[in-house]
Amino acid sequence: MKPTDVAIVGAGPAGLAAAQAARNEGCTVTIIDDQDTPGGQFFRQPSALLGQTGRDRFSSKPAIAQRLFRVLDDPAVDYRPSTTVWNIPDSGVLALACEGSASRLHAKTTIVAAGAHDRCVPFPGWTLPGVMTAGGAQNLLKGQRVLPGQRTLVTGNGPLTLVVAASILRAGGHLAAVTEAAPVSSRLPGLIAGLLAVPSLLMLAASYRARLVMAGVPLLNGHTIVEARGADKVEEVVVARLRRDGVPEVSHSQTYAVDSVVVGYGLQCSSELTRLAGCELSYRQLSGGWIPRRGHWLESTLPGLFVGGDSAMISGGETALTEGALAGLGAAKQARGALSAAGARRADQLRSKLIRLARFRTTLEQLFEVPASFAALRRPDTIICRCEDVTAGQIEELCRDSNLSLSDIKTRTRASMGRCQGRNCLAGIAEMVAAIQDKSIAELGWPRARAPARLVPISALLCESIKPPVMPADPHLPRAQPTAQARPRPAARPQS
């Protein structure tokens, strides 16, 4: 089968922008996405069963999304929804799973635009029904046209809390309060100059805040959630001011009656594929955890593999669109050998825009900076890994007894071995271990990445063609040290 020029993992803003840029250079493009509709989280589309009813209330920027979606109608674009990339077994090869069957895609270049996932911060009651992440709330609003609840409190850290809160109001919901862990109001005057690097984004943030103020929603800066309470669902939440050392002043707390809580403490890069492929990564918590080292064209340390958008660094939708386009041009340049004159000019414009966006992002990090850890919110009985019911006390006990690695803790407790595969808990466990062992998170070393990078049906793996192992003449010798008389084991017959 003839390989595609550019394979793109993810049909969000970065992936779609990359496809458009690559197609403008005459490349054939294949887009693989595990969702059944395009747009990613930023431009998430409603289920086809819901139609377009209520679109203006539940979605924003539909016109931009529709312009991006046009690339999917291009005959030279092979769009594969509901398909999971679960491995990169070799350079330019992607292992795919779709509807229980497996296949391989060969590509001259690959762009990983897999987006990000919520950073979970455990606190007492965070596993109660009605408590959800900011990403989960956005999924309900955009994809299902459902409000998180009748009376919602939005809490967390970073601009995403404002976005979610404004979305709930636009959809007709009622907000009890919005809390932000950082003292944004007192910092804002000194950081306006940096935010003016991208005036459109500053005005957008101002519009979100104005919407909350006009609706009479209490905005509590420098506050965080302390506890969610309820019998079999959330019924009330406790909020307190956060000190500079990260300890909440519980003695001056406030309690709100709610039936839902939206928690957004930032995002983590979806780095499963870049780690699995062997890209060189570095740890930067404010930028999204483990991020790949990239070059002039956003190419990773693996030739032919580019990374763009929130899977490379948490920077928002505008940066994702810009990086996606630049990565698309870089991949096209490598696949075709050169860019057109228009493509080269476009690349220069995109880099200039990224410089301005980087200044804006750096200022945002200063504006929303909080203590490195929210450890003070945890209690010994607070669940850290909700898939395997592992508590903070269990992790702390193991770490005090010996100098265990994250892999050791994973083996002994099964933490991060559940359905989420560590996306919800591993970063929090790493923070705990680093604090107890007086190390940086980067020094700990993440558990080894293994395929499948994402959950796939076992039937898809059974379709895999596995090479027979090379066996030594003496079966008692280890396989890693075959003798000169080693012989290959006959391949197993395919099952009928």
Side-chain angles (χ1 to χ4, degrees), residues 24-109:
N24 289 340
E25 294 297 313
C27 292
T28 57
V29 175
T30 301
I31 305 175
I32 310 103
D33 192 69
D34 57 6
Q35 300 296 308
D36 57 1
T37 56
Q41 180 73 323
F42 198 71
F43 296 124
R44 180 171 290 277
Q45 300 301 294
S47 167
L49 298 175
L50 297 177
Q52 302 300 319
T53 302
R55 183 179 183 84
D56 292 337
R57 288 199 303 127
F58 287 91
S59 296
S60 60
K61 300 185 178 178
I64 297 177
Q66 294 305 318
R67 286 197 297 270
L68 285 172
F69 295 160
R70 289 173 192 161
V71 74
L72 302 177
D73 298 325
D74 191 312
V77 173
D78 180 9
Y79 170 50
R80 304 188 188 184
S82 303
T83 303
T84 301
V85 178
W86 61 270
N87 195 10
I88 303 180
D90 202 354
S91 177
V93 180
L94 302 180
L96 312 180
C98 180
E99 297 181 351
S101 63
S103 62
R104 289 284 192 271
L105 174 67
H106 295 264
K108 294 179 181 178
T109 56

Side-chain angles (χ1 to χ4, degrees), residues 478-489:
R479 292 187 187 183
Q481 301 173 6
T483 65
Q485 294 78 29
R487 64 184 188 280
R489 173 180 288 179

